[in-house]
């Protein structure tokens, strides 16, 4: 097995903040990366996070990594990760930045990608959580095509509209830099494999569990399930661990454990339900108050432990002596992990301790893993070559735009406008919403008598005709038959045919479902002022016949619009 | 007067392209910036352009400038310019990148801004030309608040929705880096002054014209008209010139004139009506074929000219000997220009010639302008201080968000969704559009008789009632009175009150305006199938009374919607 080593940056800055601290943080990080490059680290990864005060002041990794490119010669520069939802980063801007970084670094970029998943970020940019996976898949397809298509043949999806353009500059690495995706659990590791890209696992995982993930990952990579997201396959699994190194174990713990624990605590703060008041919440203070209660007590960390445990709670990672860390790495190596990304800059960890650790790692740990590594990697590539080739054949190829296209600003902007313009369904939904709001005001707080007085025969006719018109056969699951509504003084029937419905007054001949309910309560349900489930339990709504259909009713009629 | 000198980059790459050329282009530029820093240039500016093949491969200046920050010590790093339309760059991403660049460069950033204006870019990102100025004004307000507000108190405009967040990191320079805006003509220079920010003039302008612009710029800066866009005023005017320097004038021309001419030709290509086929159009080839016809002939450039002319056509700029360039700079200096940005890398200009020019400039030109410059700048700042202070007092201050806000992803995303959702007006407009389309199909290609047969009394009642309902008093300019429509067999009157209109059949008692037109032609006008102006000229539409009102009719009734 072969294994690579990297540095991983969140640019953490616990409160209280003082002037010049962010400057120090960034300048120190550049110095650290320079050392890492010199002593033989293979990668430096930097996250892209927005608004995550204290946990990550790393909101523009494209800038930091570009600066790092001129302080280093050999180390690869990894985005870990770029957020792909187009509301955060336009796909063309991502392709442009990656290519430019590849040019200034002479081909040293790795493109890690992700969906963004903290509430601070999704809420901040207005990204729907239910859509972010789709957006990722859409954007990575567009971005990788921008790398290889010349010109990019254009894009028209739910999320991105773009006419044909030659996206410039192009990357140094061909067809494009290696791709990765952020993973946090088994399911996303499989997702990475299905997309034929590297898995950047950000959860602290024990070697034994990592081994299971790795096996599954490579099984999928070599299977038909792998349909590459890009135009090259990057079969690699990286895990992330905290690190602090010293020949004396107690010193290593003293220097590194608060950082490791703060990292995990602040992660849970931003990705869990803990409330956050921007600019005010003091995460470091909360950490100090609650670390013991949350399982991050300093006392549980005992020097001379036989093996290092990495899981959250006892989170220790690679905080220890060179020999302990060598042993830990061996365990990851033996289960087939391809890369370990070490977090040294976290919480209150000190710059000089980080530098010492890096030097010590280069001197006392790294040499144990470098011999024959290139050959083993070459052998791995050779072994996987047929699977990679087969996988790439499954990916939709680069397109060749027909020549003769002409840039046409007015037509192109109009196309984007059309895509942004409300669809017919949106217009209908807006109409329904407005209707329902007005209707709600009409029934809310009224007595049964007041409501029923307004709902005479002609209004009832209008309502049921509206329901019939709003009937959506696709939601009916093939149902045909009669629905009967027995109201206070009248009964209506909706006759459901294969593709349409019609309303008629009077009882049904053979109703599939009968609703017995006071007119006022029926209107309250339609207006959203009463919950049918509650009415059922209170005995104010009675159902007879095919009960199973009842929950489908709302969908079938797309709301009670008379439009 | 004091004057500063800068380098200006588009990263041009004329076709034909060969492998490794973009890499060379970027690596050479980094070398050049390193020299410029060493010999005493004050700024390096880099554009942000997208998809402008050959003319500018500089699509991610944030990356190039960050790389340059680690190759230099003193030179300022200027975005010239960042495109502010939110479809290109989200305001928070701009604030984050600028702050990060300020951190890695230890406070050396200048933030040049612009609206983006080539069809390739506006069409590529779907930015409406009519809105880009508004978007600029909206975005710069949001961005500068992100720099100074802690937390940023949120944003809700036509273009950007964002909940309160602490945008991180913060800039080194306080309150934020100096602001500039791209200008191309007198009107935009005034615009820069009204916004209290530096003017980056990208048109090649003679010193005498520049002088007029400068005078007007400073007059506005010191007047009540100046309401700063940011939280600091940056009173500076920069002009851009091509440059190539050599002790032998003919050599300088030989080395630099093709680059200068290609720059101007390609600029005209992308900003004019010339068609462009992405990935195919060969701008360099077109330049060679058409440079003479476009006034860019090499022959017109005569060595030993008494003064250098800079305008397009004879475009020469600072291509010449050190003494010629010193004389030219003196002319700009004497009219009060604060900075000259030199373009050396353009068209086919060679790296080694650029490096030679930079060294020569540092040796033979720069020393003539540095003595006492700091003192003169301090005096200028002192002279302008009261005006700057007064201007800043006119700017809406930074906000303090009330504490107790809680990040709430669902509610925040829903707010963005609501903002993205069609407004009531959009829904109405969509309804009108659909109506008009259907209506158009109904009248298009029909005879008068066919049309009038469909437009009986009840349809007429519906139409005029619809017009009355669609009446928009805000478009009527306070008009009240009667509008009379004499159609083929019937006459209708719209009675316009202060806030609403109503329709009634029959002639008006005292019409302000009477339209006499066949029913069929009236319907053709409403359907967009006939032009009222044409009908007027053909005598098929007659107007009596207050003619002036006629052009306002369409607006007043927001189209002929019966909704």
């Amino acid at each position: 097995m072969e294994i690579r080593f990297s540095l991983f940056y969140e640019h953490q800055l616990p409160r209280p903040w003082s002037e010049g601290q962010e400057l120090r943080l960034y300048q120190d990080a550049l110095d650290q990366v320079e050392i890492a490059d010199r002593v033989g680290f293979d990668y430096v990864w930097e996250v892209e996070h927005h608004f995550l005060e204290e946990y990550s002041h790393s909101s523009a990794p494209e800038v930091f990594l570009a600066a790092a490119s001129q302080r280093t010669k050999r180390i690869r520069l990894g985005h870990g990760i770029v957020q792909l939802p187009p509301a955060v980063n336009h796909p063309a801007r991502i392709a442009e930045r990656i290519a430019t970084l590849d040019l200034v670094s002479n081909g040293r970029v790795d493109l890690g990608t992700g969906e963004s998943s903290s509430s601070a970020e999704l809420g901040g940019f207005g990204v729907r959580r239910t859509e972010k996976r789709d957006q990722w898949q859409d954007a990575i397809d567009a971005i990788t095509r921008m790398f290889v298509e010349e010109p990019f043949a254009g894009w028209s999806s739910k999320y991105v509209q773009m006419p044909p353009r030659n996206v410039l500059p192009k990357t140094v690495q061909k067809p494009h830099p290696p791709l990765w995706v952020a993973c946090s659990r088994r399911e996303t590791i499989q997702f990475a494999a299905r997309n034929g890209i590297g898995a950047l696992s950000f959860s602290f995982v024990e070697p034994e569990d990592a081994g299971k993930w790795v096996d599954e990952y490579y099984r999928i990579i070599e299977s038909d399930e792998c349909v590459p997201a890009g135009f090259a396959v990057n079969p690699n699994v990286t895990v992330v661990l905290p690190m602090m190194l010293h020949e004396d174990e107690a010193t290593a713990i003293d220097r590194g454990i608060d950082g490791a624990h703060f990292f995990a605590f602040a992660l849970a703060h931003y990705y869990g339900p803990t409330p956050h008041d921007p600019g005010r919440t003091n995460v470091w203070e909360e950490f100090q108050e609650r670390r013991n209660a949350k399982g991050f007590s300093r006392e549980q960390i005992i020097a001379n432990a036989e093996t290092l445990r990495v899981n959250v709670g006892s989170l220790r990672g690679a905080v220890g002596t060179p020999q302990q860390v060598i042993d830990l790495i061996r365990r990851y190596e033996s289960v087939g992990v391809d890369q370990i990304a070490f977090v040294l800059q976290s919480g209150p960890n000190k710059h000089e301790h980080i530098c010492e650790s890096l030097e010590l790692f280069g001197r006392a740990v790294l040499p144990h893993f470098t011999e024959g590594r290139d050959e083993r990697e070459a052998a791995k590539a050779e072994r996987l070559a047929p699977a990679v080739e087969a996988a790439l054949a499954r990916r939709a190829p680069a397109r060749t735009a027909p020549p003769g296209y002409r840039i046409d600003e007015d037509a192109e902007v109009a196309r984007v406008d059309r895509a942004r313009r409300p669809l017919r369904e949106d217009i209908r939904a807006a109409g329904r919403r407005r209707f329902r709001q007005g209707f709600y005001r009409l029934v809310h707080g009224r007595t049964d008598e007041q409501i029923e007085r307004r709902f005479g025969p002609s209004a009832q006719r209008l309502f049921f005709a509206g329901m019939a018109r709003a009937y959506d056969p696709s939601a009916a699951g093939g149902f045909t038959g009669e629905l009967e509504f027995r109201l206070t003084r009248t009964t209506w029937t909706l006759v459901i045919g294969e593709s349409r419905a019609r309303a008629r007054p009077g009882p049904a001949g053979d109703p599939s479902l009968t609703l017995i309910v006071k007119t006022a309560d029926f209107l309250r349900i339609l207006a959203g002022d009463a919950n049918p489930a509650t009415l059922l339990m209170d005995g104010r709504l009675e159902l007879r016949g095919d009960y199973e259909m009842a929950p489908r009713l709302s969908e079938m009629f797309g709301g009670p619009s008379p439009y």
Side-chain angles (χ1 to χ4, degrees), chain A:
Chain A
M1 287 298 164
E2 80 298 332
I3 197 154
R4 296 272 168 189
F5 303 107
S6 49
L7 277 192
F8 181 83
Y9 281 92
E10 298 269 1
H11 294 320
Q12 299 203 333
L13 195 61
R15 282 187 164 89
W17 299 332
S18 58
E19 196 164 320
Q21 253 186 326
E22 279 182 330
L23 177 61
R24 196 69 269 138
L25 180 70
Y26 268 82
Q27 295 292 336
D28 286 348
L30 285 170
D31 290 345
Q32 293 159 19
V33 173
E34 194 175 321
I35 294 173
D37 181 54
R38 174 168 49 74
V39 305
F41 278 82
D42 302 291
Y43 294 76
V44 52
W45 293 99
E46 194 197 356
V47 299
E48 174 189 327
H49 275 316
H50 307 282
F51 324 129
L52 304 189
E53 314 168 66
E54 304 184 61
Y55 177 70
S56 175
H57 290 221
S58 172
S59 56
E62 61 269 37
V63 171
F64 177 80
L65 293 171
S69 75
Q70 304 302 301
R71 299 279 294 267
T72 55
K73 299 225 164 358
R74 207 191 48 84
I75 203 166
R76 295 191 60 83
L77 308 165
H79 276 279
I81 51 79
V82 178
Q83 301 193 358
L84 296 203
V88 187
N89 291 298
H90 189 289
R93 294 292 288 114
I94 296 177
E96 292 168 338
R97 288 200 295 257
I98 294 299
T100 306
L101 187 56
D102 215 33
L103 289 167
V104 298
S105 70
N106 203 349
R108 289 190 276 142
V109 178
D110 272 55
L111 172 51
T113 65
E115 303 166 5
S116 155
S117 57
S118 76
S119 288
E121 291 164 294
L122 294 172
F125 287 100
V127 177
R128 289 187 196 155
R129 194 173 282 271
T130 49
E131 287 184 348
K132 68 196 183 71
R133 170 65 54 93
D134 261 6
Q135 295 186 6
W136 180 91
Q137 199 85 54
D138 186 55
I140 200 159
D141 193 10
I143 292 165
T144 52
R145 288 176 183 283
M146 289 172 189
F147 288 140
V148 300
E149 291 179 356
E150 201 167 340
F152 172 64
W155 206 249
S156 181
S157 72
K158 184 172 175 191
Y159 310 111
V160 178
Q161 303 290 324
M162 197 178 137
R165 289 291 187 272
N166 197 4
V167 179
L168 298 170
K170 298 294 184 195
T171 56
V172 174
Q173 299 172 84
K174 301 295 178 193
H176 52 64
L179 303 176
W180 303 75
V181 64
C183 302
S184 57
R185 50 189 200 283
R186 200 182 136 193
E187 182 265 331
T188 38
I189 304 255
Q190 294 172 355
F191 174 77
R194 285 198 305 275
N195 280 282
I197 63 188
L200 268 172
S201 165
F202 288 127
S203 57
F204 303 115
V205 59
E206 298 286 350
E208 294 63 35
D209 294 325
K212 289 184 203 135
W213 292 2
V214 167
D215 291 345
E216 203 159 41
Y217 175 89
Y218 280 101
R219 184 190 60 69
I220 295 173
I221 285 277
E222 296 188 71
S223 79
D224 285 357
E225 288 177 62
C226 175
V227 181
F231 294 89
V233 171
N234 178 33
N236 277 298
V237 176
T238 294
V239 300
V240 174
L241 291 179
M243 193 228 272
M244 189 62 77
L245 222 54
H246 197 275
E247 294 290 0
D248 173 56
E249 186 186 0
T251 305
I253 292 172
D254 193 55
R255 289 177 172 187
I257 205 66
D258 288 347
H261 283 183
F262 177 76
F263 187 103
F265 180 90
L267 184 83
H269 171 84
Y270 279 111
Y271 290 79
T274 328
H276 188 87
D277 186 359
R280 270 87 180 202
T281 299
N282 188 321
V283 184
W284 175 250
E285 217 169 78
E286 291 195 2
F287 169 66
Q288 287 180 299
E289 282 165 15
R290 296 162 51 203
R291 65 183 292 182
N292 292 350
K294 291 277 174 184
F296 295 115
S297 73
R298 235 175 184 272
E299 291 66 39
Q300 72 187 306
I301 308 298
I302 300 151
N304 302 311
E306 258 177 58
T307 50
L308 301 183
R309 307 296 298 173
V310 299
N311 263 346
V312 173
S314 62
L315 182 64
R316 166 96 183 247
V319 175
T321 66
Q323 192 52 53
Q324 285 178 315
V325 171
I326 290 168
D327 293 344
L328 181 67
I329 294 171
R330 286 261 180 256
R331 288 163 59 209
Y332 285 102
E333 188 189 31
S334 69
V335 298
V337 165
D338 299 290
Q339 182 178 151
I340 303 180
F342 295 109
V343 182
L344 288 92
Q345 196 290 315
S346 65
N349 290 0
K350 288 198 167 53
H351 173 57
E352 53 271 29
H353 298 159
I354 295 167
C355 296
E356 271 182 49
S357 286
L358 294 174
E359 299 276 5
L360 186 54
F361 188 87
R363 213 164 49 235
V365 180
L366 241 166
H368 293 266
F369 298 95
T370 47
E371 208 187 290
R373 189 165 58 169
D374 293 343
E375 293 73 17
R376 287 194 300 278
E377 281 181 349
K380 171 187 165 186
E382 202 173 326
R383 179 170 55 79
L384 289 177
V388 165
E389 196 184 338
L392 286 173
R394 285 188 288 270
R395 196 241 191 273
R399 303 160 301 173
T400 306
Y405 184 86
R406 292 287 177 267
I407 287 179
D408 180 346
E409 178 186 336
D410 290 342
E412 290 168 346
V413 173
R415 264 200 298 281
V416 174
D417 272 355
R418 269 199 298 281
R420 284 179 192 149
R421 184 190 291 168
L423 300 172
R424 183 175 292 236
E425 295 82 83
D426 289 339
I427 295 172
R428 278 205 191 140
R432 278 201 297 274
R433 224 164 19 237
R434 282 210 310 281
F435 170 78
R436 214 187 278 243
Q437 279 164 7
F439 191 27
Y440 178 87
R441 280 194 295 270
L442 218 64
V443 305
H444 183 65
R446 310 277 177 183
T447 64
D448 288 3
E449 289 66 35
Q450 286 173 323
I451 294 173
E452 296 192 4
R453 204 160 43 225
R454 284 170 180 262
F455 195 63
S458 67
Q460 293 191 11
R461 178 167 298 117
L462 189 69
F463 257 70
F464 282 99
M467 281 184 76
R469 267 204 296 283
Y471 172 66
D472 176 4
S474 71
F479 169 80
T480 60
E482 293 178 320
L483 303 178
E484 187 182 61
F485 299 82
R486 293 196 198 162
L487 308 183
T488 305
R489 265 179 300 270
T490 49
T491 296
W492 280 83
T493 297
L494 285 175
V495 185
I496 314 291
E498 304 234 335
S499 64
R500 64 182 62 199
R502 64 188 175 80
R504 58 174 176 71
D510 178 23
S512 300
L513 179 71
T514 296
L515 290 88
I516 304 169
V517 61
K518 274 196 295 193
T519 305
D521 282 335
F522 179 62
L523 292 171
R524 288 188 183 104
I525 294 172
L526 295 184
D529 195 33
N531 184 336
T534 312
L535 294 183
L536 263 175
M537 287 185 294
D538 291 352
R540 288 162 65 187
L541 167 62
E542 194 185 331
L543 294 178
R544 292 188 190 161
D546 185 1
Y547 280 47
E548 308 282 317
M549 283 203 57
R552 260 190 288 159
L553 287 180
S554 168
E555 258 181 287
M556 280 167 60
F557 297 100
S561 167
Y563 297 142

